[in-house]
Amino acid sequence: MKYRVMILAVTCSMLSATFAIVKPPVTLTADNLVNPVVTSDLAPRLSWKLPWEQRGAAQSAYQVLAASAPALLIEGKANLWDSGKVVSSASVLVSYGGKPLAPSQTVWWTVRVWDEAGKESSWSAPVRFTTAKPWPEAWSAQWITYPDAAFTDEILFKEMKRRVPGMPPYYPKMLRVSSGEVIDRYIADTSVGVDARWINPVPEDKKLDYTKDRLEEIPPSPMFRKEFVLKGGVKRALLYSSGLGWQEIFINGRRVSDGVNNPAPTEYKRIGLYEAFDVTDLIKTGSNALGVHIGGGWFQQGLARDGAYLYGRPGLLLELVCELSDG
């Protein structure tokens, strides 16, 4: 009797495996990001995970659909890309291979796979990505900075009172002290290529009050503000911004991101980085206010021994794109 029960259990297990449903892929990403507001370029790399736990499970093929709207993600109707059945185990960083995409274009995509036995899964839940703004012509915004009436170059780049001997006049004091204290030390030897630093005392008659003099020497951090009115409901709002050097962005009094010291520093003579955010939840119908606080950062820090990191006045390139509910 026990023997017969055991055979029946094995038979039921085999039948269950035969009719098992192949689960669809999950955690779809573009350039390793889930629903990214901006990709690395115009042809992102797509990845997905297989939620299979049984031993020996493996992907034998995949099919990707991409479209301009989720309603078009149907085989035969995907207007951007239908890869067809691709015999491959690849599921990581699969290059987009559909129609050429424009800057800031939102694309919806889905994927299905076939397992090691040739059984296909259902389609994954659709996700989206928005392409990059890879060249200046892709931007409608223009670089702005503050006018001469605010700060002159003589104020921004005047000679520092406490500079290292032999260095450019923009070289600030390297030691940091608490507000109100007096500086009683300075760097005596700054030979190029010499990393060792010797600290020597400063005579009493040459000491400077840190609070007053240092505030006069630090280039100002500009703040930009713009008010605007939206007459319709907001379906989606994307913000692209590049602050030279570091930026803090606020919409209607709320900080857009909790990141600090962004964008990352670069060789600004050659390239500058920008950030992208989905700010739909921060934009409202009616009056809105957008503010950006720019810090000099590496763009205007002046600490390099050859003075190479003083590129000019801090600037801002910002573009806010709002899609209203009426289209």
Side-chain angles (χ1 to χ4, degrees):
M1 185 67 179
K2 293 181 180 179
Y3 179 72
R4 292 178 181 176
V5 171
M6 182 180 67
I7 292 178
L8 179 61
V10 172
T11 303
C12 290
S13 176
M14 293 176 62
L15 289 173
S16 176
T18 301
F19 294 101
I21 298 176
V22 180
K23 295 180 180 179
V26 296
T27 317
L28 278 62
T29 62
D31 289 340
N32 294 317
L33 298 173
V34 177
N35 292 322
V37 177
V38 63
T39 59
S40 298
D41 52 37
L42 299 184
R45 273 67 59 185
L46 310 179
S47 305
W48 55 87
K49 293 182 179 180
L50 304 174
W52 304 340
E53 299 179 354
Q54 64 271 28
R55 180 176 298 180
Q59 173 186 299
S60 61
Y62 68 84
Q63 181 180 6
V64 176
L65 299 180
S68 56
L72 297 175
L73 289 180
I74 302 174
E75 192 172 2
K77 293 186 178 181
N79 61 343
L80 295 178
W81 185 30
D82 184 345
S83 69
K85 183 178 181 180
V86 179
V87 178
S88 171
S89 62
S91 60
V92 177
L93 301 180
V94 176
S95 296
Y96 170 84
K99 295 180 180 179
L101 301 176
S104 302
Q105 181 176 351
T106 298
V107 176
W108 292 84
W109 68 285
T110 183
V111 60
R112 68 176 175 180
V113 297
W114 284 259
D115 66 7
E116 74 286 353
K119 297 191 294 292
E120 69 183 63
S121 73
S122 56
W123 291 100
S124 66
V127 295
R128 67 185 177 188
F129 63 82
T130 302
T131 56
K133 298 169 76 66
W135 49 73
E137 293 77 16
W139 292 74
S140 61
Q142 296 180 343
W143 285 101
I144 59 173
T145 186
Y146 40 82
D148 290 339
F151 299 103
T152 64
D153 286 340
E154 287 72 22
I155 295 177
L156 289 175
F157 302 113
K158 69 179 181 179
E159 181 174 350
M160 300 294 185
K161 296 180 180 179
R162 296 182 308 279
R163 69 182 183 89
V164 178
M167 289 293 100
Y170 316 128
Y171 203 104
K173 187 73 177 70
M174 293 187 66
L175 297 177
R176 296 184 180 274
V177 298
S178 301
S179 175
E181 294 182 4
V182 295
I183 292 181
D184 58 4
R185 296 179 298 177
Y186 70 100
I187 298 175
D189 190 313
T190 58
S191 301
V192 175
V194 178
D195 290 329
R197 294 161 181 160
W198 292 267
I199 307 300
N200 296 334
V202 176
E204 288 292 331
D205 59 344
K206 293 185 179 181
K207 289 182 180 180
L208 298 171
D209 180 82
Y210 180 82
T211 303
K212 176 178 179 296
D213 295 302
R214 181 58 174 154
L215 287 177
E216 289 181 354
E217 294 172 0
I218 296 176
S221 296
M223 299 184 72
F224 300 91
R225 189 175 189 274
K226 175 71 174 179
E227 295 183 7
F228 58 96
V229 176
L230 293 178
K231 297 182 179 180
V234 179
K235 183 178 180 180
R236 194 184 188 204
L238 302 181
L239 184 145
Y240 306 87
S241 181
S242 178
L244 302 177
W246 294 327
Q247 62 183 10
E248 287 183 319
I249 308 171
F250 299 85
I251 294 180
N252 296 326
R254 297 171 59 186
R255 202 167 187 267
V256 170
S257 168
D258 58 1
V260 295
N261 297 347
N262 291 326
T266 62
E267 170 48 81
Y268 293 104
K269 293 179 180 178
R270 301 179 60 186
I271 190 172
L273 303 180
Y274 68 93
E275 296 182 278
F277 307 95
D278 188 323
V279 295
T280 306
D281 294 339
L282 301 180
I283 301 294
K284 61 183 180 180
T285 302
S287 299
N288 292 268
L290 173 64
V292 185
H293 182 199
I294 300 296
W298 285 95
F299 185 78
Q300 202 184 28
Q301 53 86 27
L303 287 174
R305 296 189 178 189
D306 59 357
Y309 296 149
L310 278 163
Y311 295 90
R313 304 185 186 190
L316 174 66
L317 177 68
L318 185 145
E319 185 171 323
L320 176 63
V321 182
C322 295
E323 179 185 354
L324 303 184
S325 55
D326 61 359

